[in-house]
Amino acid sequence: MEINCTEKELFIFKKIAHAVEHLGMEAYLIGGFVRDKIVGRDTKDADVVCVGDGIRLAKEVAKRFNPVPPVSIFKTYGTAHVKADEFDLEFVGARKESYKYHSRNPEVAPGTLEDDQLRRDFTINALAISLNKNNYGQLLDPFGGLDDIKHKIIKTPLDPVQTFSDDPLRMMRAIRFATQLNFAIEDTTLQAIKDNAYRISIISQERITEELNKILASSTPSIGFDLLYRAGLLHIIFPQMVDLAGAEYKDGVGHKDNFYHTLQVLDNISKETDDLWLRWAAVLHDIAKPVTKQFEEGHGWTFHGHEVVGGKMVPKIFSKLKLPLNDKMRLVKKMVELHLRPISLSQEEITDSAIRRLLFDAGEDFDALMMLCEADITSKNKQKVKRYLENFELVRKRCEAVEEKDRIRNWQPPITGEMIMEIFSIPPSRPVGVLKNSIKEAILDGEIDNNYDAAYDFMIEKAKQMGLFPKSGVRDAKSQIPDSKS
Ligand code: ATP
Ligand code: MG
């Protein structure tokens, strides 16, 4: 078996071999590193399993590098980590495992290499390469993992029902590897996932979401979501997405299957960007279609307001999935809320003010939004696709022209909330928001010029109608103007 290691890797493995010999131990490269080398994927870390104390071996290996790298020890797991020449090495002693029904954390006892290979989740993850003098470099493949790599198959070494019941996270991992490697899950293994899907409930949300994110980061994420759906896992971990599936018919009129549409949008955007959050935006862009769906006589199926309702669902879904509730979440929410805007612009006479509004609302995420909109075109009709793309091109051109002229993308209205409070000597309150918004609207509509004086005069008029009057002499709040681009 030819395995292409870099010079650096070979140098490191020789050092490990010396340490192993010095301690009179037995050790092997195992798991993801071996699999990825055979598949031809990039590797940046390697797991080493030894018969005996993994921490002791790690310390002995570290000694052989200059400068000597620190050894991070995880006593509870009996593992140790060494970063040697920028390469991450994880050491563990070979072990046997036994599981209890309510936990994915097994009881462990020291074992042989074979015991350790038996506890691995998939045949392709159980391959080992010897680091021992007598058979250095030899591949040890007790379950036919090499053949499974050749045939692109994910399969468990032991009875799959037991394997998944012991540690239900493995179901997510099976689907994640199938997605990353573009492998098929062998039939009985897939059936065992279906039968054990309900067991996913003993796994923490963080672990589940970590796998979901890895699926999303793959080059064709639809493979994973389709498998999660077919295995019945998606129903448990992300039911809102399952609600997108299927097409309803009435009076012979149907609508598209929004689940498969969403998966196609996801694959489309994944060809354009690696950004995880834009991929999440693709997953969620139509998430409110099921709850906004209506059949209108003579009109067919409608999903009015699904972008607004969908935007509201984003924080809830992020919270449930334990995704971060930060700027990334706000980006996804914004993409969902705005995803119909460029389409509506391409259908009507485009006024400058409509373009300015889109530029303002999308701000620095304008390009990301256009990317999502283009990914959203999934028609099979080539003529239609061509027409849509041309329309978007037109929207882009108009946006470029208006942006060139008005610089709206990073624009802030010339009068801020703080200035309004200062000018009228009022505390934070509703009128501040009303005034601020009316200034913004007036400028975007082209009703007034985009500068402080025009905004000030407009605001004073508007405030008067609200019974508000400025403190005397504060027109000079102007001195507080942040660097406005008027
Ligand atoms: P990647 O690092 O790309 O996620 P990997 O295969 O290296 O892939 P790790 O999670 O780093 O995955 O685990 C290293 C090895 O440990 C795996 O190859 C597998 O042999 C074993 N392993 C990891 N998680 C499990 C599990 N839940 N059940 C059984 N074996 C596992
Ligand atoms: Mg790994």
Side-chain angles (χ1 to χ4, degrees), residues 265-285:
V265 177
L266 174 58
D267 283 350
N268 288 348
I269 206 164
S270 301
K271 290 194 190 93
E272 303 299 322
T273 178
D274 290 337
D275 188 313
L276 180 65
W277 308 104
L278 294 183
R279 292 176 178 208
W280 268 115
V283 168
L284 294 169
H285 79 288

Side-chain angles (χ1 to χ4, degrees), residues 31-32 35 41 47 104 119-121 125 167 170 173 176-177 214:
R35 177 200 67 221
R41 288 168 101 207
D47 293 318
R104 65 171 291 255
R119 76 175 177 89
R120 306 263 159 186
D121 48 5
N125 284 349
D167 177 0
R170 293 168 179 162
R173 286 173 56 89
R176 186 253 293 186
F177 286 122
K214 285 186 180 173

Side-chain angles (χ1 to χ4, degrees), residues 58-105:
K59 287 180 178 162
E60 191 60 36
V61 169
K63 276 192 218 160
R64 280 149 216 272
F65 288 89
N66 191 11
V68 181
V71 182
S72 323
I73 294 168
F74 308 96
K75 263 223 173 88
T76 7
Y77 302 103
T79 64
H81 171 265
V82 177
K83 198 179 190 85
D85 292 351
E86 296 307 303
F87 195 81
D88 288 300
L89 293 168
E90 200 77 39
F91 294 85
V92 64
R95 55 172 80 167
K96 276 200 256 266
E97 292 184 341
S98 57
Y99 285 84
K100 298 246 167 55
Y101 189 75
H102 291 290
S103 165
R104 65 171 291 255
N105 301 315

Side-chain angles (χ1 to χ4, degrees), residues 457-474:
D457 293 340
F458 174 84
M459 174 183 69
I460 296 298
E461 271 311 303
K462 178 92 191 161
K464 229 189 253 170
Q465 295 161 21
M466 295 163 64
L468 283 173
F469 299 92
K471 285 194 293 189
S472 54
V474 275

